[in-house]
Structures are given as structure tokens and as C-alpha cells.
Amino acid sequence: MTDSAVLTAPVSQVGTLEGAAFGPSSWREIGQDDVDVFARLTGDDNPIHVDADAAARSPYGTRIAHGLLTLSFVVPMLREVFSVTGASTGIVYGLNRVRFPAAVPAGARVRIRGQVAEVTEVSGGWQAVLSLTYEVEGNEKPACVAEFVLRYYS
């Protein structure tokens, strides 16, 4: 993580973060075991995720991670590069635009980088919209671009 920028601020200063960039996080592998567990938990057993033979015949040529699995890996990666301290509660309030421009082959590594796109005051705290890009190691096209809406209460 040598080229990483970590953004940390106390909850009282969240209002000053708009426009600030952070990341990238360290690389995190999304292995076939992760894909298989996600498929079992969600019931999404599309062959491009779990069947090596069927996936080999797909446009991807191999098994790929679910887009929603890739999206969910945000928590450990975001913790590395963005944090708000002193909040009594922090929650994911929602997601805005989410796209999956490129597949993540099982076993590939991803990381995130982002920017604080918008900050607004809400009753009892702050709402921050983080514009995140999920990079796939060795691929110019991102695996995912999404806006996460987070709330921090003091």
C-alpha cells in the first residue's frame, strides 16, 4: 500500500471532507471459495460463477465473482483508507449509481480508491457520499464503480 492516501477525520470535521480523495487500499483476492460460499448463501448459482466447464464456454473463459460479492468486499478495503472517528454510530445508508464494467475472474485481486463526492448535514450527524472505484489488478477497466451513502452520528 505504498502509494495509498488514508483519509481519517473526527465526526466533527466530516463537513470539511467534500472533494477529498483516498486510496488505493491494498489488494484483496476474491477466491473461488469466496464465490462458492456467496453462491450458497444467496442462491445465485449461475454457472459462470460455480461451474468451471460452463464458465470456460462463456465470454469470460473462466469462473467470475458475483458483482454483488465484489461490491460487498468494500468494508475491509474501505477501513484501510477512510475512517471517521468519534461517531457513536456509522451506517451504510444506501447506494446510488452502481455499475459493473468488467468481470472479476475468480482468484483475481481487487482494491478500491475513492473520493468524498458530497457531504450534507442530517439530524444528529453527517451524510457522506463516497464515489468508489474497484480496480482489478492487471485490468484497465474497473470491476465496479459505485456511490456509497454513509451516515455518521455523533
Side-chain angles (χ1 to χ4, degrees):
M1 218 169 58
T2 57
D3 62 334
S4 180
V6 176
L7 181 59
T8 301
V11 69
S12 62
Q13 293 180 12
V14 170
T16 68
L17 298 180
E18 194 165 308
F22 51 89
S25 67
S26 60
W27 293 106
R28 182 172 180 111
E29 182 179 331
I30 302 180
Q32 186 60 49
D33 288 344
D34 298 319
V35 173
D36 293 341
V37 168
F38 189 84
R40 280 193 306 275
L41 287 172
T42 64
D44 183 352
D45 59 358
N46 184 319
I48 62 172
H49 303 304
V50 297
D51 183 321
D53 293 333
R57 295 186 302 272
S58 77
Y60 306 108
T62 190
R63 290 176 286 184
I64 62 171
H66 304 74
L68 293 176
L69 171 61
T70 302
L71 185 70
S72 70
F73 270 83
V74 70
V75 173
M77 293 187 292
L78 188 59
R79 275 190 191 139
E80 288 182 12
V81 293
F82 180 85
S83 67
V84 171
T85 61
S88 65
T89 303
I91 62 167
V92 175
Y93 188 70
L95 294 162
N96 291 336
R97 184 179 164 94
V98 178
R99 298 290 183 267
F100 302 104
V104 177
R109 297 188 328 158
V110 297
R111 68 180 181 183
I112 62 162
R113 67 175 68 239
Q115 182 175 18
V116 181
E118 180 183 330
V119 177
T120 53
E121 195 166 1
V122 295
S123 180
W126 295 96
Q127 178 171 293
V129 178
L130 306 184
S131 179
L132 301 179
T133 300
Y134 291 66
E135 301 171 342
V136 181
E137 190 173 35
N139 193 348
E140 288 186 30
K141 203 170 193 181
C144 179
V145 290
E147 288 184 349
F148 278 78
V149 182
L150 307 177
R151 286 203 171 172
Y152 298 96
Y153 297 99
S154 38

